[in-house]
Amino acid sequence: MSEPTIFERIVSGDIPARVVYETDTVLAFLDANPLAPGHTLVVPKEAHRRLRDLPDDVAADVWAAVDELAPRVEDAVDADGLTVGVNDGEAAGQEVPHVHVHLVPRFEGDGGGPIHAVAGAKPDLSDEELDDIADSIEG
Ligand code: 5GP
């Protein structure tokens, strides 16, 4: 059996955390190294590495938690907005191999950027390439 992830250890109570939300399948707690006051992580209790690994019902539960918590987190710290994101895979910056949704409160003039800033150089794609990509995604 593989080592439990740090988030499984939080779920089991082995490691303390400031828990803000709990259901049978989902836990949310403050990030230990917050990017902003109120930075919250929403995790499925079961460890799944990638979004693609989540069973449909668990994915729905995670999103329901995000939906419920988003205004609560924003209001709790009197923020002006919220960035919601998932680092899905190592190439995307995922460090903990257990799906987690970041809720990062945002403030006017906080110096941060939009989600558009997370990827590298923008690709220059032709209409044909865009059509091919859209077809592949559509399946
Ligand atoms: P990732 O880069 O995998 O998307 O983000 C992992 C997040 O988990 C980071 O923001 C990091 O601060 C947070 N984190 C890592 N270890 C712990 C921990 O033991 N407790 C809490 N509350 N957050 C953690």
Side-chain angles (χ1 to χ4, degrees):
M1 258 177 44
S2 58
E3 288 275 297
T5 67
I6 195 103
F7 295 159
E8 280 179 288
R9 297 183 63 193
I10 288 175
V11 167
S12 70
D14 190 21
I15 291 182
R18 290 185 172 83
V19 172
V20 298
Y21 175 98
E22 181 167 17
T23 67
D24 288 348
T25 55
V26 177
L27 194 74
F29 47 88
L30 296 188
D31 194 293
N33 295 295
L35 297 173
H39 182 174
T40 298
L41 301 174
V42 180
V43 310
K45 287 186 171 177
E46 283 177 7
H48 297 281
R49 180 178 285 268
R50 300 283 308 273
L51 282 177
R52 62 175 60 202
D53 304 324
L54 283 181
D56 291 348
D57 55 339
V58 177
D61 291 349
V62 168
W63 189 258
V66 169
D67 191 44
E68 184 167 337
L69 282 167
R72 281 209 242 162
V73 168
E74 187 175 325
D75 294 350
V77 294
D78 206 15
D80 302 309
L82 199 68
T83 294
V84 178
V86 179
N87 292 324
D88 189 30
E90 278 181 40
Q94 183 178 8
E95 291 183 357
V96 178
H98 182 147
V99 169
H100 49 285
V101 181
H102 292 262
L103 304 182
V104 183
R106 300 298 305 275
F107 300 86
E108 299 292 349
D110 64 12
I115 284 211
H116 300 79
V118 300
K122 282 191 185 165
D124 186 16
L125 298 167
S126 66
D127 282 344
E128 194 182 28
E129 287 169 316
L130 289 168
D131 288 343
D132 285 348
I133 292 167
D135 286 346
S136 299
I137 294 171
E138 195 178 11

